[in-house]
Amino acid sequence: MILDTPAWKNLAAHVADIRATHLRDLMRDGARCAGLVCEHDGVVIDFSRQNVTACTMELLFDLARAAGLERKIAAMASGEKINTTENRAVLHMALRAPPAKGAPSSRNARLRVDGADVNAQVHEVLKRIKTFSDQVRSGTWKGATGKPLTDVVAIGIGGSYLGPEFVFEALRTDPACARAADGRRLRFLANVDPIDVARALEGLDPARTLVVVVSKTFTTAETMLNARTVRAWLVKKLGAKAVAKHMVAVSTNLPEVEAFGIDPRNAFGFWDWVGGRYSVCSAVGILPLSLQYGFPRLAEFLAGAHAIDRHVTSAPPERNLPVILGLLGIWNASFLGHGTRALLPYCQALLKFAPHIQQVDMESNGKRVTIEGEVLPVDAGEIDFGEPGTNGQHSFYQLLHQGRVVPADFIGFRTSQNPIRLTGKPIEPVSNHDELMANFFAQPDALAMGKTAAECLAEGVPEGLVPHKVFPGNRPSTMLLLERLTPYTCGQLLALYEHRTAVEGFVWGINSFDQWGVELGKVLAKQVRTQLAASRRTKSPIAGFNPSTSAMLTRYLA
Ligand code: F6P
């Protein structure tokens, strides 16, 4: 186990040295600050406000070597079945690899899983997505009444929803995407709550609506009930035959797609080597998003993710952005005891970034045993939450500054995706984007430096108020600065965080690619569902549950 290695023990011993420092002092050291910055392909990360020194970083890179990190990343990229509890490869990187050139030879062997040429499979589906989305967008593919399908409802939950919605929002105000989406609407339906159905369908005309049912397994209870509900909505207005023109599917389970009544020719496949939460770059995300923004924009998104894939698989750990981010996460969570992490994009278009990364990170690394099944004596995984700045500043930052220590990722852009253009020039000397970014730069320093009692007194703060106005500081954060939020940088950001999670899992020695912890609740929900159906039908009393659940179910049914 990684905890038994000298590398882990050396870091544990180093904690005391770091606890004796304060970022207020560490940040005075120009050489240290310059050494704790890393840049690749327009993405800059400044981690000088982490509770680390050059020595800490060396010890963390030792830990990465002890964990066999480079070997594990290579195993993932080569299609080894590293998801051992499900006997699956983990190849979301293959989803964004460009088409392989030339005929396969012994020298340029193609990536294969169970004998199948992965790259060829991926590009065959991408080609179908391009053709189909072009047809729908141009009006060549028409609805049952002959009207063009201008609106899309994507039904799916978890990994079949959160990533696509994050990217949808991220690109919605990108000028090229906005132009391409003119006259079109994309809605998501995830929750089985009927309220979500009402919201998703509000104002839509079945005759102009295309429904995309997205489910890796095509058995997820919520998605299937929502799919049946929306099918009934379509059929009521258009008749049963309309399903062929109005419903398509994205799944790995094509027999179930057919059993549901969707023509397999209208199904876009993916493969068991794509984990649900890592599936945005498969048809799960690329189909609905191409329908909205056109395939070329999504090709740029895939290129951005691929650029980070090349980086993570080739850069030395010391220059490798996801590796550095992952090691800092391990340091904060396992050594300094900071198990929570705030994701703070200073960009309103990234409003769905934190919800997506919550699933990527917490479903991946929220594990209690190592990949060999031994109980891990430290907590793996982090609790992720977040909100765009500056909104979050007026909500939960109080706790970040004076309450608990929560390492934070500040994500900002040099230029706005959508600058104000009322008069051709900024309406004030400082542009709206500069105002946003002034906060982006100020907050990490406020967290790191804090404010002492002496500083408060020097400012004339009355003595009784001083304890309330002291900021302890020494609170870690990382700044990520990118050029502008575009499809390409959105892809970079996605891959950066996917790999950060994988890096952490590889170091902890857990399986970041299964999710057995979601099963028990599903089994119990099935028991409750069966009971509810029986009680509603036959008025039979509630039986087989503990006294609390029985009593509450009885109240619910009363
Ligand atoms: O319940 C969790 C989960 O299995 C996720 O891992 C997955 O992303 C989600 O459900 C949806 O699954 P599916 O795509 O098979 O409908």
Side-chain angles (χ1 to χ4, degrees), residues 156-161 214-223 270 275-277 279 284 359 363 515 518-519 522:
I157 198 164
S160 295
Y161 152 63
V214 187
S215 175
K216 182 174 169 179
T217 55
F218 230 72
T219 57
T220 301
E222 296 94 323
T223 300
F270 63 113
R277 54 194 174 272
S279 65
V284 165
Q359 190 201 6
E363 195 167 84
Q515 57 285 317
V518 303
E519 295 302 325
K522 290 185 190 174

Side-chain angles (χ1 to χ4, degrees), residues 340-361:
T340 307
R341 179 175 58 140
L343 301 169
L344 309 172
Y346 276 64
C347 178
Q348 189 59 25
L350 292 181
L351 79 164
K352 293 292 180 183
F353 181 64
H356 175 52
I357 299 306
Q358 276 175 344
Q359 190 201 6
V360 168
D361 201 52

Side-chain angles (χ1 to χ4, degrees), residues 305-523:
H306 175 65
I308 295 293
D309 294 343
R310 272 188 316 185
H311 170 67
V312 78
T313 49
S314 61
E318 295 77 6
R319 309 285 320 147
N320 193 313
L321 304 182
V323 168
I324 293 170
L325 292 174
L327 291 174
L328 291 170
I330 299 265
W331 173 240
N332 283 325
S334 291
F335 293 94
L336 300 183
H338 308 321
T340 307
R341 179 175 58 140
L343 301 169
L344 309 172
Y346 276 64
C347 178
Q348 189 59 25
L350 292 181
L351 79 164
K352 293 292 180 183
F353 181 64
H356 175 52
I357 299 306
Q358 276 175 344
Q359 190 201 6
V360 168
D361 201 52
M362 293 166 78
E363 195 167 84
S364 296
N365 288 346
K367 305 287 162 66
R368 55 180 281 278
V369 295
T370 65
I371 199 154
E372 289 84 20
E374 276 180 279
V375 174
L376 200 66
V378 291
D379 284 334
E382 290 154 297
I383 300 162
D384 299 286
F385 75 102
E387 195 64 45
T390 63
N391 290 10
Q393 292 174 200
H394 301 273
S395 165
F396 54 79
Y397 278 35
Q398 166 65 41
L399 180 141
L400 306 190
H401 285 291
Q402 290 185 315
R404 293 166 189 260
V405 177
V406 179
D409 287 359
F410 288 87
I411 302 166
F413 295 88
R414 290 188 54 231
T415 51
S416 175
Q417 188 190 56
N418 223 316
I420 304 281
R421 291 184 219 278
L422 292 176
T423 57
K425 49 185 178 188
I427 53 169
E428 292 185 18
V430 169
S431 71
N432 300 53
H433 185 68
D434 282 345
E435 178 61 33
L436 172 76
M437 292 303 283
N439 286 276
F440 167 87
F441 289 109
Q443 291 290 336
D445 273 346
L447 287 167
M449 309 300 184
K451 196 173 190 181
T452 63
E455 286 168 333
C456 291
L457 287 169
E459 278 178 10
V461 173
E463 237 169 79
L465 269 184
V466 167
H468 301 278
K469 294 216 165 190
V470 163
F471 289 72
N474 205 31
R475 289 163 185 243
S477 66
T478 297
M479 288 166 118
L480 290 89
L481 190 63
L482 293 89
E483 180 57 38
R484 189 167 70 87
L485 182 59
T486 61
Y488 185 87
T489 56
C490 183
Q492 286 182 308
L493 207 52
L494 171 83
L496 208 52
Y497 275 78
E498 286 179 345
H499 294 320
R500 175 200 192 280
T501 290
V503 164
E504 290 190 354
F506 287 148
V507 174
W508 275 314
I510 58 178
N511 183 353
S512 298
F513 306 105
D514 62 10
Q515 57 285 317
W516 298 107
V518 303
E519 295 302 325
L520 182 58
K522 290 185 190 174
V523 173

Side-chain angles (χ1 to χ4, degrees), residues 23 28 37 70 83 116 149 229 254 263 303 321 335 387 426 448 503:
L23 282 172
R28 286 203 194 99
V37 177
E70 281 185 82
N83 177 357
L149 300 175
T229 307
L254 300 182
D263 187 338
L321 304 182
F335 293 94
E387 195 64 45
V503 164

